Amino acid sequence: MTDRQTDGRQSSNRQSGGRQPIDREGVLLAAEALVRDRGPAALTMRKLAAELGAAVTAIYWHVGNREALLDELVQRTVAEMGQIEAHGATPAARAESVALALRHKLRARPHLIALVHERGLTELMMLPAQRALVHEAHAAGLRGAEAAEAVRVLQFHVVGFVLVERNRDRAPRQQPGEPELWDEETAEQDPALAATLAGAPDPERLFERSTRALIASLWGFPRPKE
């Protein structure tokens, strides 16, 4: 772009109140960030226009009305949740990597996940992760109902763990808290246990240990046929 073109664009922006040119992708990314960080209630067309330094009419022109925009964000979230790839040398390791990736994606976008759920698309959103787990269950030698149950157990574990984490994040300060609940008698009987339970939990460690234990029991040691 020449200096004259740059000067002309800057002059045009000043004449239009300093508004910047936008495109559809930029609008969607800004809207996604608003919902991800502050929830759907924070998404208004005026607020989005202000974030982008654009006219409200330009937002409508690119993405339609607010409901159409929310629908688009839902579809994008479903697509993003499908981008899960298994990694590892064994079926158990690859299944664990899928569970870790699924938890990370669910934790990173709770408000967007809630929008998907409200529109009845949760099962569709979870399907790619399910298929990845089915592949690893088959690779571990599981078939039929045994494989299906293994996949569902792990899926329920991931979702349930994330819900517990979200609940802890939003819960008010507990009084008495865990440090006050472990009395001196317990500390005398098992001081290491009392000290650990009185401290803050490590969600990453808890998730990895519980997930690994589940996979070891489901993937590594299939039950004999009844």
Side-chain angles (χ1 to χ4, degrees), residues 4 28 30 81 114 124 189 199 201 207 217:
R4 179 176 294 181
L28 290 171
M81 291 297 295
L124 177 64
Q189 294 173 351
F207 183 77
S217 66

Side-chain angles (χ1 to χ4, degrees), residues 76-85 105 124-125 127-129:
R76 285 168 70 93
T77 302
V78 171
E80 288 168 3
M81 291 297 295
Q83 296 172 3
I84 292 180
E85 296 182 0
K105 286 179 176 290
L124 177 64
M125 177 184 70
L127 184 60

Side-chain angles (χ1 to χ4, degrees), residues 113-135:
I113 298 300
L115 277 177
V116 173
H117 185 69
E118 289 172 5
R119 280 161 170 73
L121 296 172
T122 303
E123 300 297 336
L124 177 64
M125 177 184 70
M126 298 295 289
L127 184 60
Q130 268 192 323
R131 284 176 170 165
L133 291 173
V134 165
H135 183 273

Side-chain angles (χ1 to χ4, degrees), residues 151-172:
V151 168
R152 280 184 169 165
V153 166
L154 193 53
Q155 181 184 339
F156 276 46
H157 165 66
V158 175
V159 174
F161 198 99
V162 170
L163 289 175
V164 170
E165 287 185 282
R166 284 285 293 158
N167 184 61
R168 289 181 67 93
D169 289 344
R170 294 177 293 180

Side-chain angles (χ1 to χ4, degrees), residues 7 28 39 83 92 103 105 116 139 144 149-151 182 187 193 225:
D7 291 343
L28 290 171
Q83 296 172 3
R103 171 179 171 263
K105 286 179 176 290
V116 173
E149 186 174 82
V151 168
W182 290 97
L193 177 143
K225 293 182 180 180

